């Protein structure tokens, strides 16, 4: 595809998009930080960003969760142990 500034760019589309996008067809392209996000020709729209950017972020969040949760459980158990000792001391007096 060639944009208005003359640059040629690649954009992966689904097979049915070729029925709408004939050579010479004019469409609208949305670009963000140099990446093509959405291509619209007529009423047909093809987007590129949801899975490419969402999956890595989900993997990172799950990884952080696996790292943070054991630390949270450890700190919570330490606080519970301190609270239990205070309760035992109060009852023993």
């Amino acid at each position: 595809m060639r944009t208005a500034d003359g640059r040629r760019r690649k954009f992966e589309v689904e097979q049915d998009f070729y029925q709408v996008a004939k050579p010479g067809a004019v469409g609208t392209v949305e670009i963000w930080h140099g990446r093509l996000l959405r291509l619209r020709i007529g009423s047909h729209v093809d987007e590129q960003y949801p899975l490419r950017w969402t999956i890595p972020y989900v993997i990172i969040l799950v990884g952080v969760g696996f790292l943070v949760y054991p630390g949270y459980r450890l700190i919570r158990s330490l606080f519970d142990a301190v609270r239990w000792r205070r309760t035992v001391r109060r009852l023993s007096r």
Side-chain angles (χ1 to χ4, degrees):
M1 135 183 7
R2 188 174 64 213
T3 57
D5 60 359
R7 293 182 184 176
R8 291 185 179 271
R9 299 173 187 246
K10 291 183 179 180
F11 194 82
E12 295 178 17
V13 295
E14 296 188 17
Q15 190 65 28
D16 63 340
F17 200 78
Y18 287 102
Q19 295 172 355
V20 179
K22 303 291 182 192
V26 178
T28 304
V29 175
E30 294 181 24
I31 300 174
W32 186 71
H33 291 282
R35 294 183 179 214
L36 297 175
L37 296 181
R38 184 177 295 141
L39 173 61
R40 181 177 299 131
I41 296 180
S43 63
H44 194 84
V45 178
D46 201 7
E47 299 177 327
Q48 289 241 323
Y49 63 91
L51 289 180
R52 281 194 179 177
W53 294 352
T54 304
I55 291 175
Y57 288 129
V58 168
I59 291 171
I60 289 170
L61 286 174
V62 169
V64 168
F66 277 119
L67 293 175
V68 170
Y69 185 71
Y72 164 75
R73 294 289 296 174
L74 176 66
I75 292 170
R76 185 174 172 195
S77 66
L78 291 174
F79 280 121
D80 288 344
V82 169
R83 189 177 330 146
W84 182 77
R85 287 182 188 155
R86 286 182 185 169
T87 305
V88 169
R89 286 183 188 163
R90 287 181 190 158
L91 293 176
S92 64
R93 289 185 185 175

